Amino acid sequence: MADDAASITSNDVITGAAQTRLRTIIERIERLEEDKAVIANDIKEVYSEAKGEGFDVKILRKVVSIRKKDKLKREEEEAILELYMSAIGM
């Protein structure tokens, strides 16, 4: 990739419209990254609040993760887990 940047010559100038579009895209990504950081902080605060009320954060994260999964996929994983645990005597 560094070679690509080094091979750009003055004949490879981006048009004004493309520069504007590129700048717009980059600014949108930067705003979304900022929003993502704010949301991540909000989620962290909710987990802290839950912990303060005596809930097990590790289990809460697992429940959230499980709820994200498709029902059939979750059932398949649970069946395989049960099979494996049974196979080792658990």
Side-chain angles (χ1 to χ4, degrees), residues 15-25:
T15 66
Q19 288 176 352
T20 301
R21 183 68 180 133
L22 179 59
R23 184 176 292 112
T24 301
I25 289 169

Side-chain angles (χ1 to χ4, degrees), residues 4 19 23 30-31 36 40 51 66 68 75 78:
D4 291 339
Q19 288 176 352
R23 184 176 292 112
E30 289 171 343
R31 281 192 303 276
K36 183 170 76 170
K51 184 177 182 177
I66 290 169
K68 286 181 187 178
E75 288 173 351
E78 289 172 354

Side-chain angles (χ1 to χ4, degrees), residues 1-76:
M1 183 152 199
D3 291 338
D4 291 339
S7 68
I8 295 176
T9 66
S10 59
N11 294 331
D12 296 326
V13 177
I14 299 176
T15 66
Q19 288 176 352
T20 301
R21 183 68 180 133
L22 179 59
R23 184 176 292 112
T24 301
I25 289 169
I26 290 171
E27 289 171 352
R28 284 177 55 203
I29 292 169
E30 289 171 343
R31 281 192 303 276
L32 290 169
E33 289 290 342
E34 289 173 6
D35 292 348
K36 183 170 76 170
V38 169
I39 291 170
N41 189 52
D42 290 348
I43 292 169
K44 182 179 175 184
E45 288 178 9
V46 172
Y47 279 117
S48 292
E49 178 182 331
K51 184 177 182 177
E53 294 180 21
F55 293 103
D56 186 316
V57 172
K58 183 177 177 181
I59 300 303
L60 286 175
R61 289 184 187 278
K62 188 169 185 105
V63 169
V64 170
S65 174
I66 290 169
R67 286 176 49 106
K68 286 181 187 178
K69 294 179 184 175
D70 174 69
K71 184 181 183 211
L72 293 176
K73 180 69 173 169
R74 185 181 71 237
E75 288 173 351
E76 178 184 353

